[in-house]
Amino acid sequence: GIGVLIVGIVLTLTGCSSKPAATPPAPPAPPAPSKPTVPSNSTDSITPPHIPTAQEKSYAATVYAEAGGQNKRSKQAVAHVMNNRIGTRTSWTDIEAVISAKYQFDGYNSPMYQAAMNYYNNGICNNSIERAAMDECLAVVIPIYSGAEADITGGALYFHSFPNPSDWAYHNSYTQVYVSGTEKFWFYK
């Protein structure tokens, strides 16, 4: 009798029952389909393509008009200078306010700027070299605009591309910043 009592207690404590279950438990649900991933040799995940905002397009078009014929590093440095100016004047609250300010960037609203905006908004550009430069300018500004890319200019607020840095009238008023890979530009803070 004691043995039956012990077996009954053990079965109760382990959740077993001497009676069969009325219905068998449902099989586990199949796993949800997984999202596509990048091959295992990469730690990046696939994200949808970025759709540029109107400000990013205008920013990229200004960089194109200022440095479109130069290498990527030069485009990045020029873009950083523009971005560094946000907040340096009361009216410069965003990138559009900076690049559109009078007497700041000659490239803004220039024919090159207009060509880039036409390409960014309408996809119209028949010259593959210009298209590649415009694409590179857009790719350069997006991580700068979002704050994902650190400033490569050390806080520069000005640049010029005169043949000689001393040709710039305000040369002695600012500290020159050397940015490697941008030999056609001089940067100042």
Side-chain angles (χ1 to χ4, degrees):
I2 294 177
V4 171
L5 181 62
I6 292 174
V7 170
I9 291 172
V10 169
L11 291 175
T12 302
L13 291 176
T14 61
C16 295
S17 170
S18 60
K19 294 181 183 178
T23 56
S34 62
K35 294 181 180 178
T37 57
V38 175
S40 61
N41 61 351
S42 173
T43 58
D44 296 336
S45 63
I46 293 178
T47 56
H50 176 77
I51 298 172
T53 65
Q55 283 197 335
E56 288 169 328
K57 291 175 187 177
S58 184
Y59 182 16
T62 306
V63 171
Y64 174 70
E66 296 284 340
Q70 303 303 316
N71 63 17
K72 182 178 180 180
R73 184 78 169 171
S74 296
K75 291 175 183 123
Q76 288 173 307
V78 165
H80 277 293
V81 166
M82 293 175 189
N83 193 61
N84 290 345
R85 288 198 190 180
I86 296 173
T88 58
R89 292 188 186 173
T90 324
S91 60
W92 291 356
T93 56
D94 60 31
I95 196 67
E96 190 68 29
V98 169
I99 61 178
S100 65
K102 280 189 170 190
Y103 313 115
Q104 297 305 309
F105 299 102
D106 295 338
Y108 181 78
N109 220 10
S110 69
M112 285 182 74
Y113 172 94
Q114 294 299 330
M117 289 301 287
N118 190 34
Y119 173 61
Y120 297 145
N121 289 325
N122 306 313
I124 299 169
C125 179
N126 296 325
N127 184 310
S128 62
I129 294 170
E130 290 174 5
R131 214 172 28 248
M134 292 173 194
D135 286 340
E136 187 170 63
C137 288
L138 194 56
V140 159
V141 303
I142 289 171
I144 296 170
Y145 185 78
S146 72
E149 181 178 298
D151 180 16
I152 64 169
T153 70
L157 297 172
Y158 306 96
F159 68 87
H160 71 81
S161 57
F162 296 119
N164 185 330
S166 63
D167 292 343
W168 195 39
Y170 305 104
H171 174 72
N172 293 327
S173 302
Y174 301 99
T175 303
Q176 186 174 357
V177 178
Y178 177 70
V179 182
S180 66
T182 61
E183 283 67 25
K184 296 197 181 218
F185 286 94
W186 287 265
F187 299 90
Y188 298 87
K189 63 180 179 176

